[in-house]
Amino acid sequence: MGRTGRIFNIQRFSIHDGPGIRTIVFFKGCYMRCAWCCNPESQEYAIQTMVENGKEKTVGRDVTVEEILPEILADEPYYRRSGGGVTLSGGEFLGQHEFAAELLKACKDYGLHTAVESTANAPWEKIEAVLPYIDTYLMDIKHMDSAKHKEYTGAPNELILENAKRISDSGVELIIRTPVVPTFNDTAEEIRAISRFAASLGGVKEYHLLPYHRLGSDKYTGLGRNYSLKEIEPPAKERMEYLLEVARESGLPCQIGG
């Protein structure tokens, strides 16, 4: 048996979080506590019980690469036809970087396209260990102001911004993404600052704006937690299109969603 990792879901036939049709492996545990997180069951590394549709559900299981690889490889024909592959998400996969490196390497051994969804809020040594097995790094940059970043996510942003530069310099395909959250970062000034920073990194291929949604809010109730943004409305389509035009001033290819 190889090293074990703790995951809470494997989602097949996804068309988000990387090119083509993808299988997404969701890792348990996160370094941050974003107020809008749509996967609050991902934040704690511990295995939890969550009430869903009136029934208790265990969230989290320990697996080996050998155990989950067949489920990933089952959709290989769809990956080939669509240019898809596997994406590691979370939580923050870097919290289990050794298991992640084993899983990514195994996927590369089968010729699969690999992507990760991450804030890169981790020591550089952990990122360096997984980079050789990553084709596309989908990196969240949520705010340029460290104090406001910490207020809404529980963590400052200095390490994140420093790691963004180093990932950009590594040569991996880097896509910067910003979840657009009203009251947090939905002004032209804030999006302009992030998109300009993204454009200053030579290796960034695209910049994506992800509109805030409430799809995970019921999970907070199921975990016995309070959802602090319940008064916040998702941004209007017109607002997102305006911010998209602001982001395009950076010169980067930009889109809503992704």
Side-chain angles (χ1 to χ4, degrees):
M1 294 287 279
R3 185 189 305 277
T4 62
R6 184 165 292 177
I7 66 171
F8 67 94
N9 192 22
I10 297 177
Q11 180 183 325
R12 295 167 66 185
F13 303 111
S14 175
I15 54 167
H16 303 290
D17 302 319
I21 294 170
R22 311 194 69 80
T23 294
I24 306 181
V25 182
F26 290 89
F27 279 51
K28 202 90 162 70
C30 190
Y31 297 122
M32 293 163 66
R33 295 292 181 268
C34 299
W36 58 88
C37 181
C38 60
N39 290 326
E41 74 275 35
S42 74
Q43 294 177 350
E44 296 289 339
Y45 176 73
I47 293 172
Q48 295 169 286
T49 300
M50 181 170 74
V51 177
E52 192 175 71
N53 300 321
K55 296 179 181 175
E56 286 195 348
K57 169 186 174 184
T58 300
V59 182
R61 60 188 173 109
D62 293 332
V63 297
T64 63
V65 170
E66 292 79 10
E67 284 170 344
I68 62 172
L69 203 54
E71 191 169 351
I72 293 169
L73 294 173
D75 295 327
E76 199 171 358
Y78 299 102
Y79 309 150
R80 300 265 179 249
R81 286 204 290 271
S82 68
V86 64
T87 299
L88 307 192
S89 186
E92 173 56 74
F93 86 98
L94 290 168
Q96 303 181 57
H97 73 285
E98 292 171 319
F99 174 74
E102 276 190 18
L103 178 56
L104 290 165
K105 183 178 185 301
C107 291
K108 292 309 298 174
D109 287 344
Y110 280 94
L112 303 187
H113 180 279
T114 59
V116 298
E117 186 181 25
S118 164
T119 62
N121 185 27
W124 176 249
E125 299 71 42
K126 294 187 175 189
I127 299 170
E128 201 172 30
V130 296
L131 274 180
Y133 315 116
I134 295 172
D135 292 311
T136 302
Y137 205 118
L138 303 162
M139 182 178 176
D140 272 19
I141 294 183
K142 306 171 199 292
H143 212 287
M144 293 305 292
D145 182 274
S146 190
K148 196 168 187 185
H149 191 280
K150 186 172 183 178
E151 180 188 351
Y152 279 79
T153 72
N157 70 359
E158 285 84 1
L159 180 62
I160 293 165
L161 300 182
E162 178 59 32
N163 283 338
K165 293 173 186 172
R166 297 175 87 165
I167 293 167
S168 172
D169 291 342
S170 76
V172 70
E173 180 180 71
L174 178 59
I175 295 173
I176 301 294
R177 311 197 302 178
T178 299
V180 177
V181 183
T183 72
F184 172 58
N185 65 359
D186 69 330
T187 68
E189 293 75 21
E190 288 163 318
I191 295 302
R192 186 175 286 117
I194 301 170
S195 59
R196 281 180 176 171
F197 174 77
S200 77
L201 306 174
V204 175
K205 181 191 175 195
E206 297 169 11
Y207 180 57
H208 298 176
L209 296 174
L210 311 179
Y212 162 75
H213 59 75
R214 291 175 171 163
L215 296 180
S217 57
D218 288 346
K219 295 178 180 180
Y220 288 80
T221 305
L223 290 166
R225 290 176 54 187
N226 177 53
Y227 184 64
S228 64
L229 298 185
K230 58 174 77 74
E231 309 300 324
I232 302 298
E233 294 288 337
K237 183 170 180 280
E238 295 76 18
R239 184 69 181 170
M240 291 301 303
E241 288 172 352
Y242 166 64
L243 293 174
L244 180 65
E245 290 309 309
V246 170
R248 283 181 172 148
E249 294 171 11
S250 70
L252 283 173
C254 300
Q255 67 184 56
I256 297 170

